[in-house]
Amino acid sequence: MASNATTRSLLEVALGFLGALLVVPLLFKVTGLVFRAALGVVTGLFKFSTTRRLLGDLLIGGITAFLAKESVLDTVFGKKGRIGDGLLKPPVDR
């Protein structure tokens, strides 16, 4: 009985391997077709000047929003000063 179970197990492994040999190339072909179709849609969208303009506006808005954050401003220009911290102003005693 053990040899019959071993033979059946080997047969299942062999059939699984043959099935994978048939399915994997098909999977690659379908994935490639889907990727090429999506790439065609994206390139088709970039042919329109409206899309390019909207993406440009979105990029400018994103950069502006990032640079307007207080932590970014503090990193670039230093911490916010108080009254009397300027070089030409004397310290204020309060």
Side-chain angles (χ1 to χ4, degrees), residues 47-69:
K47 288 182 182 177
F48 300 120
S49 64
T50 307
T51 306
R52 287 193 303 259
R53 176 171 279 180
L54 284 174
L55 286 175
D57 290 346
L58 185 69
L59 183 68
I60 291 171
I63 290 172
T64 304
F66 176 72
L67 291 177
K69 289 173 54 177

Side-chain angles (χ1 to χ4, degrees), residues 2-26:
S3 65
N4 190 13
T6 306
T7 306
R8 183 173 178 173
S9 176
L10 287 174
L11 181 64
E12 288 175 0
V13 169
L15 286 175
F17 182 72
L18 287 174
L21 284 178
L22 294 174
V23 170
V24 169
L26 181 65

Side-chain angles (χ1 to χ4, degrees), residues 72-89:
V72 175
L73 289 173
D74 288 344
T75 303
V76 173
F77 297 110
K79 295 282 184 192
K80 184 189 276 189
R82 294 185 309 255
I83 295 176
D85 284 345
L87 292 175
L88 300 177
K89 295 181 182 178

